[in-house]
Amino acid sequence: MKASEQNLTDGTAEKDIETITGLSEIEAQKRLKTEGYNELPSQKRQNIFIIFFHVLLEPMLLLLLGAGFIYLLLGEKQDALMLLFFVFIVVGITFYQQRKTERALEALKNLSSPRALVIRDGQQKRIPGREVVREDYIILREGDRVPADAVVIFSSNLTIDESLLTGESLAVRKSEWDGKASMTQPGGDDLPFVFSGTLVVQGHGIAKVLGIGSHTEMGKIGKALQKITPEETLLKKETNWLVKNFAIGGLILCSLLIFLYGITRGDWIVGFLAGVSLSMAIIPEEFPVVLMIFMSLGAWRMSKRQVLTRNTASIEMLGAATVLCVDKTGTLTQNKMILSSLFCKNQFYDMEKNGEKPLPECFHDLLEYGYLASQRDPFDPIDKEIKNTTEKFLKNTEHIHDPWKLVREYPLSKHLLALSHVWESSDRREHVIAAKGAPEAIADLCHFTKEQIKELRIHVKEMADKGLRVLGVARSSFKEDFLPDKQHDFEFDFVGLLGFVDPVRTTVAPSLKECYTAGMRMIMITGDYPGTAQHIARQIGLKNPEEFITGSELAHISQEELGMKIKTVNIFARVVPEQKLAIVDALKANGEIVAMTGDGVNDAPALKSSHIGIAMGERGTDVARESSAIVLLNDDFSSIVQAVRLGRRIFDNLRKSVSYIFSVHVPIAGMALIPVLMGYPLVLLPAHIAFLELIIDPACSTVFEAEPEEKNIMDRPPRNLKERLFGRKNFFYSFFQGLSVLVAVIFVFFWFYQGSPVNEDYARTLSFATLVIANILLIILNLSGSRSLIKTFSTKNKAFWFVMIGALLSLVLILIIPPIRDLFHFSPIALSDFVIAAFVGFVAVVWFKVIDLFKRKPQIKSA
């Protein structure tokens, strides 16, 4: 910390805050290279040999190695070498899938890094917290996590929760650095130091970074990232149940087969081979792998659509969402405040309509005091718009007071939604006070009578009904040297009203229409007036815009009454964040699956309570992000709808993949078991099943995952959460698919075997060809969904074509190249017999699509 302590002596705290330019980007990048990122040392990547060891513990590879060992005992070196070759291929595929998943998770890790607001090159910039460097100037606001250890050089009511480091339940006050104090331990009031990981609970400030990464107090406590324990989701529980039951069944059948083969034929070694083949055929080791890949790559795909998934369980929930509760500002609108209307002395002035025309004199004071009540170098969009408009219309007039000095700021609070700036005039004869805030708060400051308040509400409503956000402006003067503690102690005069319009995002209306088509409701929640909310609702096509509930009404109705009203009411206006929890609870009590957006500290309970908490990435606090399952990186409502669409696609493709896995294992297991029980020779050897796994593995984890969504994916109601991934209906449908292929393969084998051992290799070759072709067709059948088989071939899924062409080409090479053919214990076959086998495999699968077509015909006619 020595270097940091030296930095405390540069006198920065004495500088005017407005002159801070911060580090340059070039200097920041240099420090990143020399001092590293602002993060604790993470877990090292696994050694390649450790990964290889874990891969070899996979059941399928252990079985392959076991079969290879048996072949060595039998003296079949070529068979043993071929199985070893398959081991290397399977290991390669596993490495590829693991690396692909690792890259996706790494991308998500970078996106989910805590953010920081810094000043660089004189500009405010939001960056990942890991990119903060020593001597950066960070802006601290309510709800933010402090990204690094720093010294406070400016503060306004700055209070920080340091319980993460000290265990103290009460937040502590922070003071500005006096240029002398040295770095101390966290804890205690009125210290000028803030610490990484602590939470700003009130006020705002600017601090200079002293220590990053392992050189922070947080780094001293622990220099290793905590391991994330994945939540046991419904899908994971279901796949674990499937694997467990299949494994138990496979073990019983395998033991039974070895015993029967050894007893009836007296050849225990070949019996073990038969048992290994059956185990390889039955164990569906693909299930957990597929789930992991689908969830990880699904989260990565969502991030490309500006949606960060912090909890993969939310992907499972997205397709089931029935209600989307969204903020108006920034989510439905662009969060670009344009000063549209002015009201002063009972007169309205339309800024947009009058364009570049000179501003009438009576509105000059309104802009002047609105400007004085705003920040000089503003970051807030409203303050920016006030500054730009004032400088545009009042430049080079007496209403611009650049020489004036800001001596005090009375911040906005929960009890009074208004703030005041106290200025010292050039002649220093008096203090000039400018206030702005919610109209009712300004009316309170001006001590309005009931009649004045009633009249003001009429004007505010008139502006709000046009979709404007309304702020009141007041002014006062004070000649005493000692300023009062409260804004109320000044005698304010009402100046007028400022009306801002926040344009609706162009993507909202079509996205909302898509929501309704998909069977989802949208509820708008806003702190603005009902008139403003209704105006926006009509613009975007929100249903039932006439009905609304205000925050004051919400505070006085019971949860039961709210539960009844919320079935039809889609607008909640003048709502404080704490009331969102009541809305969520009422919807959940009605059996809805709720997605809730939020951006503030007080939104955290509602985000946690909802089924899918969605935090705002651009304007949201870190507390909201930590309480949420999903973060919108662009705060756009259309991204929520895209996330729902992608969530449905992921679940659909996962279901297709699981159905395929089950159906393809039925004929493989059947061919490993039935011929042996009937006294026939082994048809499928371990090498054959290993080859089939080379088709199954990439198909179920890559082809199905990359498949685009079906056209009707947003034309159906949300999925029922009680609906299983692999329910009874899917089980029987997949089982009969597999059974149909099994019957076809058995038919081909017995047809060409004809009871003669001489024909064993010939029959095995054709039955294997039938199984491979049927396997490929099963992929196409399960991919097709509601489409025809022909349309499935027009897919843009590159992985599909890679697997299809690769499988067919490999089959042809195995059948025509003698050395490879001998390794598989195959024999040369006639082209006509191959065509017959291929046709039987084709018929075994295609008739399912024909049945689907006839099932749909009555629906088409009735439509």
Side-chain angles (χ1 to χ4, degrees):
M1 197 63 72
K2 290 181 180 179
S4 299
E5 289 173 358
Q6 290 174 1
N7 292 332
L8 296 177
T9 62
D10 64 0
T12 305
E14 299 174 4
K15 295 179 181 178
D16 185 349
I17 298 301
E18 295 180 5
T19 65
I20 294 176
T21 58
L23 295 175
S24 67
E25 278 298 330
I26 296 173
E27 178 61 28
Q29 292 303 317
K30 283 182 180 177
R31 297 203 173 195
L32 272 180
K33 290 181 180 179
T34 56
E35 299 180 11
Y37 285 99
N38 177 35
E39 57 187 3
L40 299 178
S42 60
Q43 186 178 8
K44 293 181 179 179
R45 288 189 178 182
Q46 286 186 318
N47 184 283
I48 189 170
F49 296 107
I50 296 175
I51 296 175
F52 183 74
F53 176 74
H54 286 304
V55 170
L56 287 181
L57 292 180
E58 289 292 324
M60 182 60 64
L61 290 178
L62 289 176
L63 290 170
L64 280 173
L65 290 173
F69 179 71
I70 292 172
Y71 275 123
L72 283 176
L73 290 178
L74 294 172
E76 300 286 348
K77 293 182 180 179
Q78 287 185 329
D79 294 86
L81 287 173
M82 182 172 63
L83 287 181
L84 186 61
F85 171 72
F86 280 133
V87 167
F88 280 113
I89 293 179
V90 173
V91 168
I93 291 174
T94 306
F95 269 115
Y96 168 75
Q97 291 174 340
Q98 182 167 338
R99 182 63 192 128
K100 190 176 181 182
T101 303
E102 195 177 83
R103 282 197 298 264
L105 293 175
E106 191 68 28
L108 291 177
K109 179 184 174 184
N110 291 337
L111 282 171
S112 59
S113 170
R115 303 155 308 142
L117 201 59
V118 300
I119 302 174
R120 288 186 182 170
D121 292 316
Q123 299 293 322
Q124 174 192 0
K125 185 179 182 182
R126 190 172 290 282
I127 62 173
R130 67 192 296 266
E131 294 180 10
V132 171
V133 298
R134 194 170 48 82
E135 294 192 340
D136 252 333
Y137 287 93
I138 53 176
I139 298 170
L140 304 174
R141 301 186 305 184
E142 183 177 318
D144 286 345
R145 286 278 178 195
V146 179
D149 286 6
V151 59
V152 178
I153 60 172
F154 165 77
S155 69
S156 176
N157 296 336
L158 186 62
T159 308
I160 292 186
D161 177 2
E162 295 182 347
S163 58
L164 187 70
L165 297 173
T166 64
E168 297 176 5
S169 58
L170 296 177
V172 295
R173 295 188 307 274
K174 293 297 176 182
S175 62
E176 295 178 7
W177 183 55
D178 60 5
K180 298 177 182 178
S182 299
M183 195 72 173
T184 61
Q185 295 291 322
D189 284 319
D190 299 319
L191 294 174
F193 303 101
V194 293
F195 302 92
S196 177
T198 57
L199 174 66
V200 181
V201 295
Q202 187 177 353
H204 59 275
I206 298 176
K208 183 178 181 180
V209 174
L210 303 178
I212 62 169
S214 57
H215 298 291
T216 63
E217 288 297 316
M218 179 74 76
K220 292 177 183 177
I221 294 174
K223 296 186 177 182
L225 292 175
Q226 293 180 345
K227 293 183 179 179
I228 300 172
T229 305
E231 185 178 337
E232 195 80 355
T233 67
L234 293 173
L235 287 178
K236 191 171 183 181
K237 288 177 182 177
E238 189 174 348
T239 52
N240 287 343
W241 179 85
L242 286 170
V243 172
K244 179 182 176 182
N245 283 277
F246 272 98
I248 292 172
L251 184 63
I252 293 171
L253 287 175
C254 172
S255 303
L256 182 63
L257 181 61
I258 294 172
F259 177 76
L260 289 175
Y261 200 100
I263 291 294
T264 58
R265 305 192 189 187
D267 193 339
W268 290 96
I269 293 180
V270 177
F272 270 107
L273 264 182
V276 168
S277 297
L278 182 61
S279 298
M280 291 173 64
I282 289 180
I283 295 176
E285 82 289 344
E286 298 93 352
F287 282 160
V289 175
V290 164
L291 181 64
M292 179 191 69
I293 289 173
F294 267 68
M295 293 298 109
S296 300
L297 293 182
W300 174 71
R301 289 186 190 279
M302 284 192 175
S303 71
K304 293 174 72 176
R305 302 190 186 191
Q306 301 298 304
V307 178
L308 171 62
T309 308
R310 300 185 68 253
N311 183 353
T312 54
S314 60
I315 296 176
E316 181 180 341
M317 300 291 289
L318 276 170
T322 59
V323 179
L324 305 180
C325 298
V326 300
D327 290 312
K328 176 185 73 68
T329 305
T331 308
L332 301 178
T333 61
Q334 298 178 23
N335 202 21
K336 290 182 180 179
M337 285 299 172
I338 299 172
L339 187 53
S340 174
S341 180
L342 306 177
F343 173 80
C344 183
K345 298 178 181 178
N346 290 319
Q347 295 183 53
F348 284 102
Y349 185 78
D350 192 326
M351 300 285 288
E352 289 184 300
K353 184 178 178 181
N354 288 285
E356 302 292 326
K357 293 180 181 179
L359 191 67
E361 184 65 34
C362 65
F363 296 102
H364 287 194
D365 285 352
L366 177 57
L367 284 185
E368 175 186 354
Y369 283 93
Y371 185 24
L372 289 173
S374 304
Q375 296 293 329
R376 272 278 176 89
D377 187 16
F379 299 134
D380 182 80
I382 286 183
D383 283 7
K384 277 186 177 181
E385 180 65 8
I386 291 174
K387 178 184 179 182
N388 293 337
T389 305
T390 304
E391 291 177 348
K392 176 181 177 180
F393 288 100
L394 303 182
K395 192 176 182 181
N396 300 322
T397 70
E398 71 278 7
H399 297 284
I400 301 291
H401 307 286
D402 289 333
W404 286 14
K405 181 181 178 182
L406 179 66
V407 294
R408 182 160 180 180
E409 178 181 350
Y410 292 89
L412 184 139
S413 69
K414 293 181 181 178
H415 307 291
L416 186 66
L417 297 176
L419 59 84
S420 298
H421 285 176
V422 181
W423 297 88
E424 187 178 81
S425 60
S426 299
D427 56 12
R428 298 189 178 183
R429 291 182 180 178
E430 63 178 5
H431 293 107
V432 176
I433 302 96
K436 80 171 190 291
E440 56 266 37
I442 295 298
D444 185 17
L445 284 177
C446 295
H447 304 289
F448 270 18
T449 63
K450 289 183 178 179
E451 289 75 17
Q452 287 175 311
I453 292 174
K454 185 177 180 181
E455 184 180 353
L456 178 66
R457 282 177 177 168
I458 293 172
H459 299 313
V460 169
K461 186 177 184 302
E462 188 176 346
M463 298 175 76
D465 287 345
K466 297 177 182 177
L468 303 181
R469 181 176 179 181
V470 185
L471 289 181
V473 177
R475 63 184 171 193
S476 181
S477 59
F478 193 77
K479 294 186 178 180
E480 303 293 332
D481 291 331
F482 296 99
L483 298 172
D485 294 330
K486 299 178 181 178
Q487 300 179 70
H488 262 296
D489 294 335
F490 295 112
E491 293 186 7
F492 281 101
D493 294 321
F494 182 72
V495 180
L497 300 172
L498 301 171
F500 300 85
V501 64
D502 186 3
V504 173
R505 292 180 186 266
T506 56
T507 55
V508 171
S511 296
L512 180 57
K513 187 177 179 181
E514 192 173 14
C515 272
Y516 289 142
T517 306
M520 295 183 293
R521 283 177 64 195
M522 189 191 86
I523 292 178
M524 181 198 301
I525 302 174
T526 179
D528 278 339
Y529 289 92
T532 306
Q534 288 177 307
H535 182 79
I536 298 294
R538 293 187 183 98
Q539 280 187 275
I540 63 176
L542 186 69
K543 290 182 179 179
N544 196 22
E546 290 74 26
E547 292 188 47
F548 61 85
I549 295 177
T550 63
S552 56
E553 292 171 347
L554 195 60
H556 295 96
I557 63 176
S558 65
Q559 197 70 12
E560 292 75 19
E561 188 180 354
L562 176 59
M564 291 299 296
K565 288 188 174 182
I566 207 168
K567 291 179 180 179
T568 56
V569 175
N570 294 324
I571 297 176
F572 287 82
R574 303 302 283 171
V575 170
V576 296
E578 290 87 343
Q579 293 176 322
K580 285 186 176 183
L581 183 59
I583 296 171
V584 170
D585 289 343
L587 288 168
K588 288 171 68 177
N590 288 347
E592 305 282 5
I593 305 299
V594 187
M596 165 68 74
T597 66
D599 58 5
V601 179
N602 294 331
D603 290 330
L607 290 172
K608 278 191 173 180
S609 178
S610 64
H611 296 98
I612 310 163
I614 304 174
M616 301 295 105
E618 289 186 346
R619 68 180 192 278
T621 61
D622 285 340
V623 175
R625 288 160 61 94
E626 289 172 11
S627 303
S628 66
I630 285 174
V631 179
L632 293 187
L633 300 178
N634 59 356
D635 294 6
D636 190 345
F637 171 73
S638 64
S639 295
I640 303 176
V641 181
Q642 288 300 314
V644 171
R645 172 186 285 272
L646 193 52
R648 291 188 177 190
R649 167 191 158 179
I650 290 168
F651 189 86
D652 279 0
N653 288 345
L654 187 57
R655 172 175 282 170
K656 291 175 183 178
S657 182
V658 171
S659 297
Y660 162 71
I661 292 169
F662 181 72
S663 62
V664 80
H665 274 273
V666 172
I668 296 174
M671 289 306 294
L673 179 64
I674 293 174
V676 176
L677 294 179
M678 294 178 68
Y680 287 89
L682 286 175
V683 177
L684 293 183
L685 303 175
H688 302 149
I689 298 174
F691 175 82
L692 290 169
E693 285 293 332
L694 296 184
I695 302 174
I696 296 169
D697 279 348
C700 63
S701 60
T702 306
V703 176
F704 283 94
E705 191 280 328
E707 183 65 8
E709 73 260 12
E710 296 188 22
K711 287 185 178 179
N712 69 339
I713 198 166
M714 294 297 278
D715 295 335
R716 58 184 190 234
R719 173 178 59 87
N720 190 331
L721 271 184
K722 295 179 181 178
E723 182 184 351
R724 296 175 70 92
L725 170 69
F726 196 62
R728 187 175 298 176
K729 182 180 177 182
N730 300 91
F731 172 84
F732 283 112
Y733 185 72
S734 298
F735 177 76
F736 282 116
Q737 281 183 10
L739 186 62
S740 177
V741 174
L742 175 60
V743 170
V745 177
I746 288 178
F747 170 78
V748 170
F749 178 76
F750 287 148
W751 179 267
F752 288 101
Y753 185 69
Q754 296 177 349
S756 172
V758 178
N759 298 326
E760 179 183 328
D761 286 349
Y762 197 85
R764 178 184 288 120
T765 307
L766 288 169
S767 58
F768 180 77
T770 305
L771 185 54
V772 170
I773 290 168
N775 184 4
I776 293 170
L777 287 166
L778 279 175
I779 296 173
I780 298 169
L781 175 66
N782 285 283
L783 274 179
S784 64
S786 60
R787 297 173 294 177
S788 67
L789 290 177
I790 296 173
K791 286 186 178 179
T792 306
F793 281 100
S794 63
T795 181
K796 296 179 181 178
N797 188 340
K798 293 180 180 178
F800 167 80
W801 289 110
F802 178 80
V803 171
M804 294 301 102
I805 295 171
L808 288 173
L809 184 61
S810 299
L811 177 62
V812 171
L813 292 175
I814 289 171
L815 295 178
I816 66 173
I817 299 177
I820 302 177
R821 188 171 60 213
D822 294 341
L823 281 174
F824 277 84
H825 296 278
F826 289 161
S827 67
I829 57 173
L831 180 60
S832 58
D833 289 340
F834 176 79
V835 171
I836 292 172
F839 179 74
V840 172
F842 176 79
V843 172
V845 175
V846 170
W847 72 276
F848 282 93
K849 209 62 187 175
V850 175
I851 291 174
D852 285 344
L853 183 64
F854 279 105
K855 278 184 179 179
R856 270 198 229 95
K857 272 191 175 180
Q859 297 175 0
I860 295 170
K861 287 179 181 178
S862 61

